[in-house]
Amino acid sequence: MTYEAVPGVVETREAFGETTLVVDPARLVEACTHLRDEEGFNLLSDIAAADYLGWGEQGVAGYIGTAAGRDLHEPGSQGLAHVPAPKPKRFSVSYHLLRVGDVPARVRVQVWLDDGEAVATLVPVWPAADWFEREAWDMVGVRFEGHPNLVRILMPDDWEGHPLRKDYPLGGEPVRFSGED
Amino acid sequence: MTVVPSTRIYEGTRIPPRVPTILDVDPSKHDPGDILRVNFGPNHPSTHGVLRLIVDLDGEAIAGIEAVIGYLHTGFEKTMEQKSWWKSVTYPARIDYLGFHANELEYVLAIEKLLGIDVPRRATWARMALAELNRIHSHLVWLGTAALELGAISMFWYAFDDRDAVLDLFELAGGTRLHTRYVQAGGLAEDLPPGFTDEVRKFCAAMPKSVDEYETILDKQKIWLERTKGIGLLSADDALALGQSGPVLRASGVDWDLRKNMPYLAYDEVDFDVPVYANGDVYDRYKVHMDEMRESVRIVLQCCDRLDEMEGEPWIADDRKVVLPPRHELHTSMESLIYHFKIVTEGYRVPEGEVYVVIESPRGEAGCYLVSDGGARPWRVKFRAPSFAALQATATVVQGALVADMVAVAASLDFIMGDTDR
């Protein structure tokens, strides 16, 4: 499956039987329109945003321990077996496309962004992108330029912060006991 | 793969032009002074969970609608990032709490894809049998609740009676009726108990007759026909543009089923048909659900025959770095004890990478996007929820409907709020 004709592709990765097209964020709409019209990817399956803050900072595994030392009381503190390759920017937004047709195919289009950078909306290309982009904005804080209704979808409308970011706390409420004031 | 031309259902597109998921009041059709804005839900018996619909009514006609979700958001994805791979398998089942096996399966298939582990065929066929039993279960609940909301109250009890038989089968296999957590990376958590296939065959002998009974009750019932035929139209082009899949897409004339077109597990080795209907209305979605139940019974019977042949084969992979060793070995083998300890406390490690695994859940295209950093916990898990996509179609399918139809249309989209909100 070759995607040489797709405009804006910076890198093509094949792994685990899946093809990932890393696209320049400025040419995303061009690339996706080409994929929809010329390559026949008529269904947008998913838009997944991920935060890579702290990627690979867990150090080296084994009895060598992490840079900060190994805590015998923390079973998982040995760190990683090897340090994974660093990511180009903090956030990735992956668009999973599906070709519903005689030759089924899936492809992942990926863009990389830093905090504060925005990417164009795909709602004019696939209307299904509407809520997926809202969720990516709500959970990870990636802005989609030109989205007709970019408001929070899963969290309450007045929530502050983006929960799926790595610097957002796990949260929870303190347990209240009866009889307390 | 055939697609019925969309002009058979309606001309052009009905996707709202400003925001695809919000139907705005058209001032040329409705006088804004006549509009009454009503709030349905999130606490409402007919919204299939905590869905909030803000509806603009002109008399009884729906002039505008917006679906508001997020009332069941519990942060599955963030929580799973904190748990080890072995322990996080309990979470996906609770996302789509009716099609729970599908969610567990897609997550475990994603982990296995990253691990590159070989799953023994007994586990594959058992997973298939359970996935199809889960499909029957989910469709029964859908049928019962959809009919209940339209007033066919007895359907609810009949469907739930059959559902109980399926839940008993799950209890026999995995120990719990719902959320079985029966799949584990590498295969099944435990072997199928002896006599399981006989119990399944007894159920499958009775099931098609039940489906026939349900169709006798509903198919020619005048009220059911009036309330479902020609209601909630969705053309094939609009369905694809809105990311629809599963029964909704098949009822709009698109012959697309991942089990046939992009088979996973052993679906290419079983014989079954995919029901496709062309009218794109609520009645056709109902027919797709009914026929799918029959086809699932066919698949389950074939799985039972194959499982009987594979009696005694391993049910989980042999890789001790990922799979717990059998308990009796812990008494004699030091290495097994160490593996057990490491897997239970720290958890196994999954190689670095990202995968997107999609299966055909009872609701359609259900996917798991998994990113691993090579460590003992997932870095990012994102579940593609078919219900999330289905609710995006609300503004398109409800056009031309009355308030009473809205309930039927919403039910026909077959969404689960846990799946939508995660």
Side-chain angles (χ1 to χ4, degrees), chain B residues 147-164:
Chain B
L148 176 69
E149 283 158 22
L150 295 185
I153 304 175
S154 0
M155 268 314 304
F156 182 70
W157 301 115
Y158 292 134
F160 270 57
D161 194 25
D162 267 312
R163 178 202 183 194
D164 242 57

Side-chain angles (χ1 to χ4, degrees), chain A residues 40-132:
Chain A
F41 285 97
N42 45 8
L43 196 128
L44 174 67
S45 181
D46 189 26
I47 302 180
D51 179 5
Y52 288 93
L53 185 72
W55 176 260
E57 277 167 24
Q58 285 183 45
V60 180
Y63 294 99
I64 305 165
T66 65
R70 182 164 160 265
D71 181 354
L72 285 172
H73 301 288
E74 273 291 302
S77 67
Q78 291 92 334
L80 300 171
H82 74 276
V83 178
K87 299 289 177 183
K89 290 193 177 177
R90 180 172 173 189
F91 298 110
S92 79
V93 183
S94 303
Y95 300 83
H96 293 103
L97 308 178
L98 168 66
R99 183 193 295 139
V100 173
D102 292 317
V103 184
R106 284 191 193 276
V107 77
R108 179 185 303 124
V109 174
Q110 204 169 69
V111 293
W112 290 88
L113 305 163
D114 275 325
D115 196 5
E117 278 179 18
V119 68
T121 181
L122 285 186
V123 171
V125 184
W126 293 285
D130 184 351
W131 276 11
F132 287 113

